[in-house]
Amino acid sequence: MRRYISALFNGIKPSNLAAVLAVWILVLLYVLFQGGKTSTMLFSMVSLLGVYLIGSSFGGVNRVKASRSVMSGDERNDILHAGEQVQIRMEVTIPGLLPMPYLIVREVLQRHNGDSWSFEDSVIPSLRGSGELVFQTPPLERGRYAFSKTECISEDIFGLMEHRGMIEVKTEFRVLPRTVYIPNWQRSLRNVRLGGTQTTLSSSRRETTQINGVRDYVYGDRISRIHWNATAKTGSWKSKEFEHESFPKTMIVLDCAAKGYSHPGQFELAVSAAASLVEYGAREHSGTGLFTAAKKSRIFAPSDAPSERMRMIQHLVDVDADRTESLLTSLERVYRHFPKGALFLLVTSSADQSVVEAFRWAENRGMNPCLLRIIGSEGKKDGKDDYTAFLQSRGILNYAASSLEELPAVLGGIAG
């Protein structure tokens, strides 16, 4: 019985309910002991007011129906990237016949790591009880976002009582990490001892004489490139598509050590760099894989498929710097999935023995180690430090970046 009473009066404060009942009982006693037309009229007015006040408490606010949509900019977009502001549009419908002067809506947006943002705005319902609320979030970082229960607050037309209600509209969206366009990547491993015949000598891939398919004719194609049989069958100009020289497979290893980064922004830069390299590998069809050395490590085999590229990017949305074990231990657990002869690119901010151990491990398994070191802006130097000299003495390519914007220039041939 108590549960039904609680559900009936959900949204009205006990003190307000007690005040309404107390006034009604006093007027009722006044009618019983005094009598007359005046007391009867007063009792009728108080009764009607009490019915309205109590009725509005378990009426519209608790039965609000809402729908929420997430947009990027002016148009609806399912793909959101870090740094973008997200526009939230909520449409509310308040059932019932009792008028409602306004409705305050309080929203809480939660990130997967526990961060949260609160939004509060008011909407004036139309005569039909509908309204629309639009607000914009601050620039969001990568991650999974979800809205918790929405709180609705309103008052009666006299402003005597405040009514509260909770509604739940499940809305989740993901924000992908920042990426930067990398036009080319100088991976000249000519001087690396393990380069061999699978090294990449140029950032551009030349075409071979092996036909890989047929494509539409592009103005400027040579006559020898025209595929005459396909042109005759289709009635439109077709050209031969040739295979390109293959790059060695690339395994991007993202170091997710809990104490490996001085501040969260440095780890976000490492994630963005890894995502940008995945995008570059997919665009160049160079067979790129990913290994995130986190608390729950995950590895993706090198692939050119767009679906695999999206799986890697989606995985980078959830990754955190939470690994407590050594990097070498994480690598040993999945050593079977690293292809021999691949480029072993380690993305980290560390410059210690763990990096040297990882490179020795890669060399022992026939891979070409390479380092992309994430450094702070205050740690950038004009000269070469001892750590860089040590890597170059072993023939290991070494890049250093302090911001995402300088990554294309760093990879374009300016090694650290």
Side-chain angles (χ1 to χ4, degrees):
M1 185 66 181
R2 182 179 300 177
R3 183 181 64 179
Y4 294 106
I5 295 177
S6 176
L8 181 65
F9 296 107
N10 182 30
I12 183 173
K13 295 181 179 180
S15 58
N16 293 338
L17 178 62
V20 172
L21 294 178
V23 172
W24 185 82
I25 292 174
L26 290 176
V27 175
L28 177 61
L29 294 176
Y30 177 70
V31 172
L32 295 177
F33 290 99
Q34 181 67 26
K37 295 181 179 180
T38 303
S39 60
T40 303
M41 183 180 300
L42 180 61
F43 178 74
S44 301
M45 294 174 59
V46 172
S47 298
L48 290 175
L49 181 60
V51 170
Y52 167 71
L53 294 176
I54 296 177
S56 60
S57 65
F58 60 87
V61 172
N62 291 318
R63 295 188 294 126
V64 170
K65 298 180 180 179
S67 62
R68 187 189 295 113
S69 59
V70 179
M71 293 171 290
S72 175
D74 298 331
E75 298 181 358
R76 189 182 303 270
N77 190 0
D78 294 334
I79 300 179
L80 304 172
H81 290 86
E84 295 181 355
Q85 290 182 311
V86 179
Q87 189 179 73
I88 310 298
R89 185 184 301 273
M90 172 174 279
E91 297 180 355
V92 296
T93 303
I94 307 170
L97 301 176
L98 297 178
M100 185 175 294
Y102 67 90
L103 182 68
I104 297 178
V105 180
R106 292 178 179 174
E107 294 266 54
V108 178
L109 178 63
Q110 294 182 333
R111 194 183 176 197
H112 71 277
N113 64 348
D115 296 340
S116 62
W117 295 264
S118 298
F119 307 93
E120 180 177 326
D121 206 346
S122 60
V123 58
I124 300 177
S126 63
L127 295 177
R128 296 183 179 181
S130 60
E132 186 178 74
L133 184 67
V134 179
F135 61 92
Q136 200 168 30
T137 67
L140 300 177
E141 295 298 330
R142 65 166 185 92
R144 288 180 288 107
Y145 292 85
F147 283 93
S148 58
K149 288 186 177 181
T150 302
E151 183 180 13
C152 299
I153 306 172
S154 182
E155 292 182 351
D156 57 86
I157 58 177
F158 303 105
L160 299 177
M161 300 183 68
E162 184 183 78
H163 311 294
R164 295 173 179 266
M166 302 293 292
I167 59 174
E168 185 175 6
V169 182
K170 293 184 178 181
T171 303
E172 297 181 356
F173 60 93
R174 302 166 72 91
V175 177
L176 303 182
R178 289 182 177 90
T179 56
V180 66
Y181 177 77
I182 301 175
N184 58 72
W185 178 10
Q186 291 285 353
R187 288 177 286 180
S188 178
L189 307 180
R190 188 188 303 273
N191 297 325
V192 179
R193 66 187 68 180
L194 295 177
T197 59
Q198 292 186 337
T199 57
T200 302
L201 301 179
S202 175
S203 60
S204 60
R205 296 194 299 167
R206 296 186 297 269
E207 290 182 341
T208 64
T209 57
Q210 183 68 32
I211 298 178
N212 190 34
V214 179
R215 62 170 174 81
D216 291 333
Y217 173 81
V218 177
Y219 179 78
D221 283 346
R222 293 172 297 180
I223 296 179
S224 60
R225 195 183 184 101
I226 297 177
H227 198 293
W228 297 106
N229 291 337
T231 300
K233 291 180 180 179
T234 60
S236 59
W237 289 100
K238 297 294 181 180
S239 296
K240 302 173 185 177
E241 182 74 22
F242 296 95
E243 291 184 354
H244 292 79
E245 291 180 344
S246 61
F247 275 154
K249 295 179 179 179
T250 303
M251 283 300 299
I252 301 172
V253 179
L254 177 61
D255 184 14
C256 302
K259 298 181 180 180
Y261 299 89
S262 58
H263 53 85
Q266 198 175 26
F267 179 69
E268 292 299 325
L269 175 57
V271 174
S272 298
S276 301
L277 289 168
V278 169
E279 295 279 1
Y280 173 83
R283 190 170 63 251
E284 294 293 324
H285 303 284
S286 58
T288 303
L290 175 68
F291 173 62
T292 53
K295 184 177 181 180
K296 295 183 178 179
S297 302
R298 188 172 179 183
I299 189 168
F300 298 86
S303 175
D304 295 334
S307 58
E308 285 298 310
R309 176 193 64 84
M310 184 53 63
R311 285 182 60 201
M312 298 180 198
I313 298 296
Q314 292 286 352
H315 171 66
L316 289 175
V317 171
D318 303 322
V319 70
D320 291 313
D322 54 3
R323 193 191 77 248
T324 56
E325 63 183 10
S326 66
L327 177 60
L328 187 60
T329 303
S330 299
L331 292 172
E332 286 286 359
R333 192 178 295 114
V334 293
Y335 72 93
R336 293 186 180 90
H337 300 280
F338 282 86
K340 188 175 181 180
L343 180 66
F344 181 91
L345 175 61
L346 177 61
V347 182
T348 182
S349 66
S350 301
D352 51 19
Q353 187 64 24
S354 64
V355 177
V356 178
E357 292 176 352
F359 285 165
R360 287 174 179 169
W361 179 89
E363 289 177 344
N364 292 335
R365 281 157 181 78
M367 290 181 286
N368 298 310
C370 178
L371 175 65
L372 174 57
R373 186 180 171 194
I374 306 300
I375 60 176
S377 57
E378 68 283 353
K380 194 170 183 180
K381 302 178 181 179
D382 295 333
K384 297 182 179 180
D385 53 19
D386 296 338
Y387 185 75
T388 301
F390 169 76
L391 293 177
Q392 291 187 348
S393 66
R394 295 180 58 89
I396 297 176
L397 281 178
N398 174 32
Y399 305 97
S402 60
S403 67
L404 187 62
E405 289 72 20
E406 71 177 30
L407 184 62
V410 169
L411 297 178
I414 307 175

